[in-house]
Amino acid sequence: MSNIEKSYIDSLLELLDERKYTAFMHEIDEINPIDAAEFFEFLPKERIPIVFRLLKKDTASEIFAELDSDLQEQIIKAMSDREVSSMLEELYTDDVIDMLEEMPAGVVKRIMKAATPEIREEINRFLAYPEKSAGSVMTSEFIDLHKNMTCDEAVKRIRKIGLDKETVYVAYVTDQARVLEGVVQLKQLLFAEPEYIIGDIMETNLPFAYTHDDRESVANMISHYDIIALPIVDKEKRLVGIVTVDDALDVLETEATEDIEKMAAILPTDKPYLKTGIFETWKKRIPWLLLLMISATFTSAIIQGYEAAIGTYAILTAFFPMLMDTGGNAGGQTSVTIIRGLSLGEIEPRDVLRVLGKEICVGAFCGITLAAATFLKVMALDFRFQQYTIQDNGLVQDNLLIAAIISITVFFAIMIAKTVGTLLPLGAKKIGLDPAVMASPFITTIVDTITLMIYFTIASSFLPF
Amino acid sequence: MSNIEKSYIDSLLELLDERKYTAFMHEIDEINPIDAAEFFEFLPKERIPIVFRLLKKDTASEIFAELDSDLQEQIIKAMSDREVSSMLEELYTDDVIDMLEEMPAGVVKRIMKAATPEIREEINRFLAYPEKSAGSVMTSEFIDLHKNMTCDEAVKRIRKIGLDKETVYVAYVTDQARVLEGVVQLKQLLFAEPEYIIGDIMETNLPFAYTHDDRESVANMISHYDIIALPIVDKEKRLVGIVTVDDALDVLETEATEDIEKMAAILPTDKPYLKTGIFETWKKRIPWLLLLMISATFTSAIIQGYEAAIGTYAILTAFFPMLMDTGGNAGGQTSVTIIRGLSLGEIEPRDVLRVLGKEICVGAFCGITLAAATFLKVMALDFRFQQYTIQDNGLVQDNLLIAAIISITVFFAIMIAKTVGTLLPLGAKKIGLDPAVMASPFITTIVDTITLMIYFTIASSFLPF
C-alpha cells in the first residue's frame, strides 16, 4: 500500500540531487514517519546511509523503526558504535526486538556490543520470551503511577515522563513491589478534579495477560475490550510491559495471514508477496505439494485393487473427480469454519461434542440435498444419451442403479468429510498442534481415500464385480 | 471468549434472586460494560428487560451497545417510546446503525418514530452510505477545533464536549465550512504551552478517507499509520465522521473471516459459529456444494468420452485423485496468496504481469520437482509389484511409459493451476467482483477439467487408444 504520491517522491529526490539538504530535512520532518520510511525504499541502496545521517536524531529513529529489515541492516552497518548506541536509546523496546529478530547474527552481535548495559539487559530479557508470546510483542515503555498520587500529580508525572512512552493515554497503577493494582485513562484525569486521589478513580477490575500468554489471545482481548493497551504481568503479577492496540492490529493481521496460508497448504511467510523471491516461494509451497502427492498413494492403491472391475465398469471412474471434490469441499467448509472459530476464541476444544453434533446434523442435511441433486443430475445430464446395461437379468435398469450408487456415495462422502473436518482441527488444538494445518488439502486426502473405499464397496455389492 | 468467571455470574444472579438491587447495580457499575453485556446472556430471556431497567442511564446505554442483537430487540420491544428516545441520545451513531442493521423492519420503524428529528436525520444520512463503506462504520461523535484557538482553549473545549465523544485523544481542526484542515493529538496539547496556537502545532499532512471508500482500505490505513482514528470526509472534504482503531480491528477481523469463508466455498455469516443454527449453516454451505457438484459435469463428460480407452487402460484412472488434488492444491496456494495480498493492499490488479511472471517461474520449479517426485513414486510404490504390458512391440517398457505420462501431466497441471490461480482473482478484482470467491474450490473445478484433457491427450498419443 503506497500512500505517498510518485510526484512527491520525485520532488524529494530532486532536493537531494540539488544538495538542498535543509529543505529536504524540513520536508521529511513534515511528513508521517511511515511515509518517510516508504520514501527511503525509492533511494538507491548506497545513498541510504548518507541520506539517513542528514536526519534529526528523533526523526531518524522514528523512521528507522518503520524501515524494512534489509534497509535497517544497511544503515546499522554504516553507523559507528556510538551512533548505534544512541539509536537504541531512542527506539522502543518492541521495535528493537523486531529488528534484532530479522538481523544476521553478526549484526546482532555488533548491536549488542554497542548497547549500554541497561539496554543490553532489557534486550536479553525480551529475547528470552517465547516466540509468539505476549512478552515477545510487548513494550516496556509505559507510564506507571502510585495510588496515593493526586490527579494533578499524575498529570505532572505524565508530562514529565510521557514523551518517550508508547502511549500516554493509559497509565497503570502499581504498588512498591511493581504489582499491578489498577488503570487510569488520561480521559479520566482530564475530567477529574486536580485534587482527586488516583486510588479512588482508578479501575481495579482490569483485563491483563501474562508474559507467556499467546500473542493472539492478547490481541483478541484488546479487540474484545476495545482498549488502547493491555498490561502484561509476570508470574508474581508485577507489571513488566504493555501491548498497544496498533501492535494488536499487526498481530491479528499476521495471524490471519498465517492461518490462511496454512489452510492453503503453504508454509507461512512473514514477507509481503511481491518482496518474496521465487526460490523462497517455491520452498514454502513444495513441501505440502510433495507430501499430499505422496499421500495419494492410498487412493491409487484402492483403485488399482479394483482395476479388473474398472475394466468392465469404466463409467464408474467418470465420477471420481466429482466425488473427490465434493468430499474435499464439504470437509474444507467444516474444518475452515472451526479453525477460524478457534483463532477468534469462539470455539474451544471442550465444545467438541456440541460442534460434532451440529456438524453431523448439517452434514446429514447437506448430504441428503446433494445426494438427491446428484441423482437428478446424473440421470438428466451425464446419462442423457447413454444406456448402460450391465446386468442381463432384465430386472434392473442400470442407469438408475449406477446413479443410485453415486448418490449414496455422495451422502457418505459428506458425512465423513464433516466428521473428519470437525475432529482433526479440534484434536490438533487439544494436543497443542496448530489446527490451521488441518484444513482442506489435508482433509481432502483422507476423505478421498475413505470415499473411494465406500464407492467400491457399494458398487461391488450391487454390480456383479 | 468468556472472560468473566462462572462464580461471579452466579453471585450476580443471586443478588437479583434475593432482590438486592442496589448491591446488584453497584456491582454492574464496577465491571467492564463488555463483561456486563456477557452477563445478560445468562439471564432468562423474560427477565432481561426488567433487570435492564434497573441500570443507570449511562451504564445502560454502554451495556446495550455491546449486547447481541436479539437481546437488544427484546429490550427495545419492552421499552416505552420515551425510553427508546433517551437511549438513542446516549448511544454513539455507529452503534445505533449497527443495531438498526440487525433489527426487523417493525422494530426499526418504532425506533425511527421514537427518535428526535435531529437523530432521525442523522440515522437516515448514515443508513444511506453503501454497505461496507467508510460512511457505514464511522461515528459522528468527534471533537472539532478551530485553528485560531490556543492550546488552553482547545483543552477547555475538549473538557466541555469530550465526555460524549468516541475518543478525546485526537481532535480535528476544521474551517468555517467544516472542511478538514488538520489534526491535533491530545498528547501534543499535554506537552504544549497553554498559549500556543492550534494552527501552529496541528499536523496538516494527515491521512483521511472519503465516506464512499471501502471500509477495509480504511482499516488498512489505520493499521498502516498506527493511528487512533481516521477522519472521514465528504466530496467537498468536509469532515463528517471518524473511524476509530477499535472499529478498524472489528472490520479487519470480519473481513478476514469473510475472506476465509468465501475461500472455503461458504457464503459469509456474521454470527459466531456456535450461535448459528443448523438450518442457517446448511443454507450458507449448500449453494457452493451444489454448484461445484454440477460443474463436475465437465470432468464426467471428458472421462465418459474416453470410456472405451479406460476399459483397456484402467490403470490410468488410479491417478485421477492424485492429479485432481495436486492441481487443486497448487492452484489454491496461488489464488489464496493473491487474494490475501489483495485484501492487505500488498498486491494491486495492475501488478498482474509481475505476479504472473513470478507464478509461472514458481510453477515451473514446483512442476519440475513434483513431476520428478511423481515419476519416482509411481515406479517405486505404485508399480512395485505390477508389470503393465500394453504395447507388444517389445520396444517400450510400459511401466516407464505410464509413469512418464503421469509425470508430464503433473507438470502441466501445476503450470495451469498457477496460471488460473493468478488470473482469476486478479481478474475478479479488476472487474469489481470479490476475489475471495476465486479460491481453491472454484479453481479446482477448472483445473480438474483442463488436467484431465491434458492427461488423455498425452496418454492417447503414446498409448494405442
Side-chain angles (χ1 to χ4, degrees), chain B residues 87-102:
Chain B
M87 169 77 79
L88 290 175
E89 299 269 3
E90 295 281 328
L91 289 171
Y92 291 122
T93 342
D94 55 342
D95 292 329
V96 175
I97 303 300
D98 281 356
M99 171 186 74
L100 288 175
E101 279 166 353
E102 301 293 322

Side-chain angles (χ1 to χ4, degrees), chain A residues 35 159 190 273 325 448, chain B residues 159 190 225 273 325 359 448:
Chain A
D35 288 336
R159 279 218 182 91
L190 198 66
Y273 175 77
D325 288 347
D448 279 1
Chain B
R159 279 217 181 92
L190 199 66
Y225 285 110
Y273 175 77
D325 288 347
E359 285 300 324
D448 280 0

Side-chain angles (χ1 to χ4, degrees), chain A residues 14 34 42 49 52 61 63 69 116 135 177 182 231 239-240 257 293 308 321 327 352 354 380 441:
Chain A
E14 218 174 278
I34 291 158
F42 287 90
F52 195 79
S61 66
I63 295 175
S69 59
T116 63
L239 181 63
V240 288
T257 304
M293 184 275 288
V352 58
R354 255 176 97 189

Side-chain angles (χ1 to χ4, degrees), chain B residues 117-265:
Chain B
E118 298 76 43
I119 290 183
R120 199 179 310 138
E121 198 193 311
E122 176 142 320
I123 291 174
N124 278 323
R125 194 159 54 82
F126 270 65
L127 285 176
Y129 293 117
E131 210 197 344
K132 303 198 172 186
S133 67
S136 74
V137 288
M138 72 185 185
T139 171
S140 55
E141 283 87 2
F142 55 83
I143 296 173
D144 55 335
L145 302 173
H146 288 286
K147 65 177 166 194
N148 43 14
M149 282 177 168
T150 63
C151 285
D152 191 43
E153 286 167 340
V155 171
K156 283 200 181 111
R157 179 168 166 80
I158 294 174
R159 279 217 181 92
K160 194 175 143 209
I161 67 165
L163 258 187
D164 299 331
K165 302 306 178 189
E166 180 102 22
T167 178
V168 296
Y169 301 136
V170 270
Y172 298 93
V173 184
T174 54
D175 69 8
Q176 249 79 32
R178 293 193 291 117
V179 169
L180 179 65
E181 292 184 310
V183 64
V184 175
Q185 315 285 332
L186 184 58
K187 183 172 179 175
Q188 289 174 278
L189 296 177
L190 199 66
F191 294 109
E193 298 296 327
E195 67 277 8
Y196 280 6
I197 302 297
I198 292 297
D200 295 335
I201 66 162
M202 71 182 185
E203 289 204 44
T204 51
N205 208 321
L206 75 165
F208 63 89
Y210 292 96
T211 48
H212 283 69
D213 285 349
D214 182 54
R215 66 175 185 181
E216 192 173 11
S217 71
V218 166
N220 280 337
M221 269 176 98
I222 291 175
S223 162
H224 181 77
Y225 285 110
D226 289 349
I227 47 182
I228 288 180
L230 186 78
I232 309 295
V233 299
D234 65 12
K235 276 176 215 145
E236 283 77 36
K237 250 201 104 178
R238 285 181 305 222
L239 182 63
V240 288
I242 59 171
V243 174
T244 49
V245 62
D246 52 306
D247 298 323
L249 263 167
D250 292 343
V251 166
L252 290 179
E253 278 196 3
T254 311
E255 292 280 346
T257 304
E258 278 194 21
D259 275 3
I260 289 173
E261 287 175 333
K262 285 183 202 152
M263 288 181 205

